Amino acid sequence: MDIPRIVELPATLASQIAAGEVIERPAAVVKELLDNSIDAGAAHVTVAVTDGGHKRISVSDDGHGIHPSDIELALRRHSTSKLNMQSDLDCITSLGFRGEALASIAAVSRFLLVTRTGGSDSAWSLSFDPVSGNTAVNPAARSRGTTVEAADIFQATPARRKFLRSRTTEFLHITEVVKRVACSRFNITFTLTHDNKPVLRYRACRDDMIERVADVFGRSFADRSIPVNYEAQGMRLWGWLGGSDLSRSQSDRQFCFVNGRVVRDKKIFHAVRSAFDDSLPTGRYPAYLLHLDMDPSVTDINVHPTKSEIRFRDNRGVHDFIHISLREALETAGSLDLGVTGDVPGKRSESAPAYQDQGSRLQVREAGMFYRNLVSREQQDDLTAQHAGLGVPLNAIPGRVVITQRDHDYVLLNYRAATEYVLRYRLKRDYMNESVRRRPLLVPVHIEAGDSEAELVEKYSELLETIGLSLRVVSAGVISVKAIPALLEEADVRTLLRLVLAELPLVGEDTDPGEKLLAVMAQATDTGAERASGSGVQGLLDDLDGTDLDTAQRHHKGIWRTLTVEELSKLIDD
Ligand code: ADP
Ligand code: MG
């Protein structure tokens, strides 16, 4: 794999970065190191803390490591592998970009970095002593990945040491950081130990994101919060929102993320709170875990030293989108909360004017909930009347099975298979209509390839363009990926390309090679399916209705199956 190389930022670019001292306490060290591990593509990250961080902090990952020739550069201020050009600064997709964190950590601690790339046969260590200013690089041993250790933090800077709080307090801050970061990346396993004792362990989740929500927010939040999934105007808001019954006396469970980055942004806090109208008394704070995803080029995170605030090109639009979506989520959940209001969900459509009154032109799509509450017979009938297709969702095992009711039968739907089907269908449809939308990659991805693969890429470049894939052979054995089909934007580009390269030699034999290639590419979107899980049930049912499948059928192999009440009872009787 390609290891991104570190370069020193040109002075003009460095001067445009909102520089600042990032290390104000041990938790800030942990935050910066976690960011680096995530940027390095790690699957497992372990944070080991000794003495509340006063004595030692170490973060180890199994990411791509640092190229042996760049190790010393990593410690230099404004040296980064993540930003090269002015245009990158306008559209930051990595967590880091200033190339300052390691330098700042090294300046206030005894610093040790051990790293090994996948391709190299040995690891290297770099140590730095802030008192003597000595740097040493030596061969070392470890498997692929990087460990950064900061010991005796602030020992050499007595003025700062004074501000270190008790071990317990500092450790509490570290725990908070790990929890927030863990909620930004469900697919990474995080471990936190204190004085060699395990404190937190979050296993990577695929279909069961709610398990991490339960680990971090508690089981009762996981069971009672409202799954959120809305999309409008290129923005997506997803996650879990606690209703007023889950509100707290502190604002400590307001987790928000923009494009996977932990942010603490007043505009967002305000937008979320505003959705509650007056239903939260002063002094009560909502609890939530919300991800806002959008095109990074319309955001600016280069505004605050710790990158925790964010600017949006359209602040108002973002505010309204959050406000309206969450209001709708709360209203819908409230109206489904049977026995409390007695309302029927059918009201939802009547409530639409309420948010149109907001004067916003946003079209919010209610994208499905897990209906946990048992719905009464009349209400089900009421609901059924409004839904064609596969019926009304009753419950779901996140990411796996959706249970719906249709007339008097029950339908079991395979979530993943259905999601994949929708994707394959859309890819094929767009291809047939010659309307495949391309998503240009802001920073082209380079992939190593053999000569024969490069030849095939050149030979079929036109065909590849028609399926939304822009590839160039940039030098011997290196292919650059400039764009991928927009529908596959969640896919891992390297996996995508590997799949395509494996298929290219067979292209001559296919009657419709474009279609075949798209089907192959759809397999690369595992993460897409994962993202969509945990929410979006109604959206998925609607999407399935929009495909060529006849959802009126009772069964569709591998995707859904209808069971009558008799068949269900028989399962128990047998
Ligand atoms: P930034 O993250 O802003 O680039 P840092 O000072 O945090 O700056 O890191 C400098 C560089 O060191 C990074 O750009 C990256 O190339 C490399 N690096 C740091 N930590 C890791 C890690 N855990 N794995 C791989 N590379 C790393
Ligand atoms: Mg960094």
Side-chain angles (χ1 to χ4, degrees):
M1 110 179 254
D2 301 332
I3 306 299
R5 300 299 302 266
I6 305 179
V7 291
E8 214 162 342
L9 292 175
T12 43
L13 193 49
S15 66
Q16 291 171 32
I17 287 175
E21 194 49 77
V22 282
I23 306 305
E24 72 275 4
R25 63 188 334 158
V29 174
V30 173
K31 173 69 173 49
E32 292 296 332
L33 297 181
L34 284 173
D35 278 0
N36 282 347
S37 296
I38 293 174
D39 282 342
H44 297 88
V45 185
T46 300
V47 182
V49 176
T50 314
D51 219 3
H54 286 219
K55 185 106 206 83
R56 196 177 77 104
I57 292 167
S58 119
V59 175
S60 313
D61 65 53
D62 55 359
H64 59 54
I66 301 177
H67 193 284
S69 323
D70 293 351
I71 294 180
E72 283 184 88
L73 211 45
L75 264 200
R76 210 171 297 162
R77 220 165 263 281
H78 299 311
S79 293
T80 177
S81 57
K82 303 171 191 174
L83 197 66
N84 297 310
M85 300 167 298
Q86 172 65 52
S87 56
D88 291 356
L89 193 55
D90 296 333
C91 187
I92 293 163
T93 51
S94 53
L95 296 174
F97 57 90
R98 294 184 180 135
E100 278 199 313
L102 293 187
S104 308
I105 296 169
V108 297
S109 65
R110 276 196 299 113
F111 181 92
L112 175 70
L113 180 152
V114 183
T115 189
R116 179 171 171 182
T117 57
S120 74
D121 41 356
S122 92
W124 292 92
S125 77
L126 164 74
S127 57
F128 177 79
D129 188 316
V131 181
S132 64
N134 288 341
T135 316
V137 177
N138 286 301
R142 67 154 290 153
S143 49
R144 188 186 105 130
T146 304
T147 302
V148 175
E149 192 178 299
D152 299 330
I153 190 169
F154 299 153
Q155 285 308 302
T157 47
R160 296 258 212 100
R161 197 171 58 218
K162 278 203 303 238
F163 291 98
L164 269 183
R165 306 284 296 277
S166 75
R167 287 154 178 75
T168 322
T169 307
E170 294 300 345
F171 187 68
L172 212 69
H173 283 282
I174 291 175
T175 320
E176 269 305 301
V177 163
V178 175
K179 286 182 174 169
R180 280 183 196 255
V181 172
C183 292
S184 77
R185 291 291 192 290
F186 288 80
N187 56 347
I188 300 180
T189 297
F190 292 93
T191 310
L192 170 66
T193 67
H194 192 201
D195 297 336
N196 290 323
K197 287 191 280 294
V199 178
L200 297 176
R201 181 163 168 83
Y202 300 136
R203 275 186 316 107
C205 325
R206 294 181 67 79
D207 302 333
D208 49 351
M209 294 201 283
I210 195 76
E211 289 311 311
R212 181 159 300 178
V213 177
D215 281 345
V216 177
F217 277 63
R219 181 57 65 182
S220 123
F221 180 88
D223 286 346
R224 287 157 55 207
S225 59
I226 308 163
V228 168
N229 188 15
Y230 291 89
E231 243 180 286
Q233 300 190 341
M235 293 180 274
R236 176 165 177 228
L237 183 68
W238 63 277
W240 295 265
L241 172 68
S244 6
D245 57 324
L246 290 166
S247 69
R248 299 165 68 86
S249 59
Q250 292 173 35
S251 60
D252 58 341
R253 286 291 170 263
Q254 305 190 336
F255 282 25
C256 43
F257 308 88
V258 176
N259 291 336
R261 174 190 300 279
V262 175
V263 296
R264 289 170 199 260
D265 189 275
K266 289 213 189 70
K267 294 183 291 295
I268 301 181
F269 291 154
H270 180 266
V272 178
R273 187 172 181 108
S274 72
F276 284 82
D277 283 339
D278 298 328
S279 67
L280 279 180
T282 339
R284 297 297 296 177
Y285 298 89
Y288 50 84
L289 190 178
L290 291 171
H291 279 259
L292 180 63
D293 293 336
M294 60 170 73
D295 177 355
S297 68
V298 297
T299 69
D300 183 5
I301 44 151
N302 185 22
V303 285
H304 189 263
T306 65
K307 302 172 231 147
S308 59
E309 276 172 30
I310 186 156
R311 203 183 282 146
F312 301 106
R313 189 179 293 163
D314 178 13
N315 277 333
R316 185 77 226 164
V318 172
H319 179 281
D320 288 353
F321 172 57
I322 296 175
H323 170 89
I324 293 167
S325 305
L326 297 184
R327 221 174 111 142
E328 161 90 26
L330 287 165
E331 276 176 7
T332 310
S335 62
L336 283 171
D337 198 0
L338 303 172
V340 178
T341 64
D343 272 350
V344 287
K347 279 224 161 149
R348 210 182 316 150
S349 52
E350 287 162 33
S351 71
Y355 60 78
Q356 280 160 10
D357 285 346
Q358 301 291 315
S360 168
R361 287 171 290 107
L362 279 180
Q363 290 289 309
V364 177
R365 181 166 71 103
E366 195 273 299
M369 329 260 311
F370 298 141
Y371 297 155
R372 290 205 185 73
N373 303 315
L374 282 178
V375 179
S376 78
R377 184 95 251 167
E378 308 88 83
Q379 282 158 340
Q380 279 168 11
D381 287 343
D382 210 317
L383 278 167
T384 313
Q386 301 166 44
H387 287 265
L390 287 168
V392 189
L394 288 181
N395 211 332
I397 303 164
R400 290 185 174 207
V401 183
V402 175
I403 305 165
T404 70
Q405 183 171 23
R406 176 161 68 176
D407 302 329
H408 297 291
D409 297 333
Y410 293 85
V411 180
L412 303 183
L413 176 73
N414 179 328
Y415 191 97
R416 183 166 284 265
T419 314
E420 281 172 10
Y421 189 92
V422 170
L423 180 64
R424 280 205 309 276
Y425 171 81
R426 290 182 170 172
L427 284 167
K428 186 173 153 185
R429 178 198 60 195
D430 292 355
Y431 172 65
M432 296 295 190
N433 297 336
E434 294 176 20
S435 62
V436 175
R437 273 192 308 124
R438 297 183 331 142
R439 164 80 60 210
L441 299 181
L442 299 149
V443 183
V445 174
H446 290 130
I447 298 203
E448 280 173 34
D451 289 348
S452 58
E453 287 174 323
E455 244 174 67
L456 286 169
V457 163
E458 293 198 305
K459 179 169 169 198
Y460 292 121
S461 74
E462 235 171 82
L463 168 70
L464 293 168
E465 290 287 343
T466 61
I467 58 169
L469 205 52
S470 267
L471 305 182
R472 296 276 173 288
V473 177
V474 285
S475 61
V478 180
I479 294 173
S480 151
V481 187
K482 299 211 147 110
I484 58 171
L487 281 172
L488 295 173
E489 64 187 345
E490 306 246 24
D492 176 60
V493 178
R494 288 168 200 285
T495 313
L496 194 76
L497 207 69
R498 287 281 149 233
L499 291 166
V500 169
L501 290 180
E503 188 60 29
L504 279 184
L506 309 173
V507 152
E509 297 161 22
D510 287 325
T511 42
D512 194 339
E515 201 181 320
K516 183 71 195 296
L517 282 170
L518 283 168
V520 164
M521 282 155 72
Q523 296 166 19
T525 53
D526 220 0
T527 47
E530 201 177 298
R531 270 283 178 98
S533 72
S535 51
V537 171
Q538 188 60 58
L540 177 60
L541 294 180
D542 294 344
D543 290 346
L544 266 182
D545 271 338
T547 68
D548 55 351
L549 288 178
D550 180 3
T551 47
Q553 295 293 325
R554 294 182 68 76
H555 305 304
H556 190 286
K557 196 166 169 5
I559 304 190
W560 73 84
R561 160 170 296 274
T562 305
L563 292 171
T564 61
V565 175
E566 289 68 36
E567 282 167 324
L568 279 170
S569 324
K570 215 159 160 265
L571 286 176
I572 309 171
D573 293 341
D574 272 355

